[in-house]
Amino acid sequence: MTATAPAIAAYADDQLYRVLLVEDDEADALLVEELLHDTGLPFRLTVTTTLADACAELVGEPADCILLDLHLPDASGPAAVATVRASAPHTAVVVLTGLSERHAGTDAMAAGAQDYLVKGKVEPDLLRRTVRYAVYRSRSERAAVEAQAARLQAQENKRLERGLLPQPLLETRAVTITTRYLPGREQALLGGDFLDAVEDDGVLHGIVGDVSGHGPDAAALGVCLRIAWRSLVLGGHRGAELLRLLDRILSAERREPHLFATCALITLDQGARTATLHLAGHDAPLLSTDQGTLEVSSAHGIALGIAPELGQWPQTVIPLPATGGLTLYTDGLTEGYAGDTDRRLGVDGLLGLIDRLPPTDPGTHVDLLIKEARALNAGRHTDDLAVLRLDWGPRGPSEGS
């Protein structure tokens, strides 16, 4: 898209232009400085006489526009443009050519310069327009690159999300499933948090897990563990045996030896009116009833990938009330700060938030809880969070997720 003159003028009105002049001829450098003063542009000028000095200057002091002579003691021609572009890829470059160099300007633009000026034929108005347009176009190109990177990142997020957040495999409407997943940072790739729920022989099985670290390695390992869990559950594996198999898979599949994972397994059997819980280094779930919400008192086992030889994961059997809900979550929900303090929210703070929330359906309740927790944290702690909530009883089937 071609920038219009009004758009460039509006963009440049009050901008201070940081100009780096790379010129080894003292008389030419003085002439350029005088022309810059005559343009009326607000500017701060830095002058270097070699390309090496210019590149060193750009490391400590970024520039908005580089005015580059094509004949320097240590570089010349398109190679000089390529070098300075490598040092400052998002900075506008305008080259200064001689009267006899017919093709030098176009060759420099092919090498990455935004424009060129012929020495001896530069007037203040021309220099003003050239600098403003070059900076505007450079910024526009950078914005386009960043937008493309954001699009690619969004596509990668969708691909990872399909692996980390599958469609629950259910046959019954007796239990309402609510799932939420939020990355810790804006535009961040999904991390290693994962969740899933499947039904097998009339019994509902769920998992929430958290791979240590962030980025593609953690996400890939989270996807691997989630798929392995679903396959193993449908293959009849349960409890501590299932966790031992996941521990072996994690140790075999992780790319970095320090990666580990916490997880909570839940088996909800409405026929027996019980929920069986296994924790591997993970927070206990929350049980909500008509009397309120509390953390389930649970036996704990070691996280996966820490010490396979110590892998003991005792079970906790939870009697189910006629109506209620179990919320499993990753620590991204509790490790944020509790308002304007250095104190973490923690489970007690989370329970306090829940007590203050109005009665509502499970999906809205989870959304409000995440919103309140993030508002208190105010962006100071950045971690992914995943929530799996299971609701049963007379109200469950009629509520959305």
Side-chain angles (χ1 to χ4, degrees):
M1 182 175 68
T2 302
T4 62
I8 298 173
Y11 169 80
D13 271 348
D14 297 320
Q15 177 178 338
L16 174 67
Y17 289 86
R18 297 169 297 178
V19 179
L20 174 62
L21 173 61
V22 191
E23 172 62 75
D24 64 327
D25 186 299
E26 186 175 347
D28 284 347
L30 182 60
L31 178 60
V32 170
E33 183 175 2
E34 291 176 350
L35 284 169
L36 281 170
H37 281 292
D38 291 340
T39 64
L41 291 174
F43 71 93
R44 184 172 71 245
L45 180 65
T46 301
V47 181
T48 64
T49 58
T50 66
L51 193 62
D53 288 345
C55 292
E57 181 70 28
L58 289 167
V59 172
E61 181 66 28
D64 297 306
C65 183
I66 300 169
L67 299 177
L68 177 67
D69 179 36
L70 284 184
H71 297 287
L72 297 167
D74 54 347
S76 63
V81 178
T83 299
V84 79
R85 289 285 291 172
S87 295
H90 300 300
T91 300
V93 178
V94 176
V95 299
L96 305 173
T97 70
L99 289 170
S100 62
E101 300 171 301
R102 291 185 58 190
H103 302 294
T106 54
D107 290 344
M109 291 184 68
Q114 268 71 37
D115 210 335
Y116 69 95
L117 294 169
V118 179
K119 293 180 180 180
K121 291 192 173 182
V122 181
E123 298 294 333
D125 285 346
L126 175 60
L127 180 58
R128 176 187 178 90
R129 290 194 301 271
T130 300
V131 169
R132 294 173 79 186
Y133 182 78
V135 171
Y136 182 89
R137 191 169 68 176
S138 179
R139 297 281 176 86
S140 298
E141 290 170 355
R142 180 176 184 177
V145 169
E146 291 174 347
Q148 175 64 9
R151 285 192 292 271
L152 293 175
Q153 189 176 61
Q155 293 171 4
E156 180 69 2
N157 265 345
K158 288 184 179 298
R159 185 182 67 81
L160 290 173
E161 187 174 356
R162 285 194 295 271
L164 292 166
L165 308 174
Q167 185 69 27
L169 188 59
L170 307 174
E171 298 175 0
T172 180
R173 287 181 55 83
V175 179
T176 299
I177 309 292
T178 302
T179 61
R180 296 292 185 269
Y181 193 128
L182 291 174
R185 296 165 300 280
E186 290 296 326
Q187 298 184 343
L189 285 173
L190 297 176
D193 291 11
F194 59 95
L195 56 86
D196 201 354
V198 300
E199 186 179 358
D200 188 43
D201 291 333
V203 176
L204 182 65
H205 304 272
I207 184 172
V208 166
D210 183 359
V211 177
S212 61
H214 302 280
D217 286 344
L221 188 55
V223 171
C224 175
L225 292 175
R226 200 280 304 165
I227 294 173
W229 173 85
R230 176 177 280 204
S231 301
L232 291 168
V233 166
L234 294 176
H237 298 278
R238 304 288 185 264
E241 177 202 10
L242 173 55
L243 286 167
R244 275 190 288 272
L245 292 171
L246 289 177
D247 202 8
R248 290 180 60 188
I249 292 169
L250 183 150
S251 298
E253 294 293 333
R254 61 186 173 187
R255 295 189 178 184
E256 300 292 338
H258 64 273
L259 288 179
F260 65 93
T262 70
C263 67
L265 307 185
I266 193 79
T267 299
L268 196 151
D269 187 341
Q270 285 197 289
R273 303 196 69 81
T274 62
T276 302
L277 177 68
H278 290 81
L279 299 177
H282 205 86
D283 287 330
L286 306 178
L287 176 62
S288 298
T289 67
D290 293 338
Q291 284 72 48
T293 300
L294 52 82
E295 184 180 29
V296 174
S297 178
S298 311
H300 288 259
I302 193 169
L304 306 181
I306 298 292
E309 68 279 3
L310 300 178
Q312 299 295 323
W313 297 282
Q315 73 176 21
T316 299
V317 178
I318 309 164
L320 295 181
T323 300
L326 279 166
T327 303
L328 292 81
Y329 58 91
T330 57
D331 58 12
L333 191 59
T334 55
E335 287 198 346
Y337 290 93
D340 296 330
T341 70
D342 292 330
R343 179 172 55 86
R344 300 288 184 174
L345 181 63
V347 177
D348 289 341
L350 188 65
L351 291 171
L353 284 182
I354 292 173
D355 287 342
R356 295 193 293 272
L357 292 179
T360 185
D361 65 90
T364 303
H365 184 275
V366 172
D367 290 337
L368 289 173
L369 183 59
I370 293 173
K371 179 181 177 181
E372 292 296 323
R374 287 200 152 189
L376 285 174
N377 180 48
R380 289 177 292 165
H381 175 74
T382 55
D383 197 3
D384 310 312
L385 68 89
V387 178
L388 170 65
R389 176 166 165 161
L390 312 175
D391 285 86
W392 63 89
R395 63 181 182 172
S398 64
E399 294 176 338
S401 61

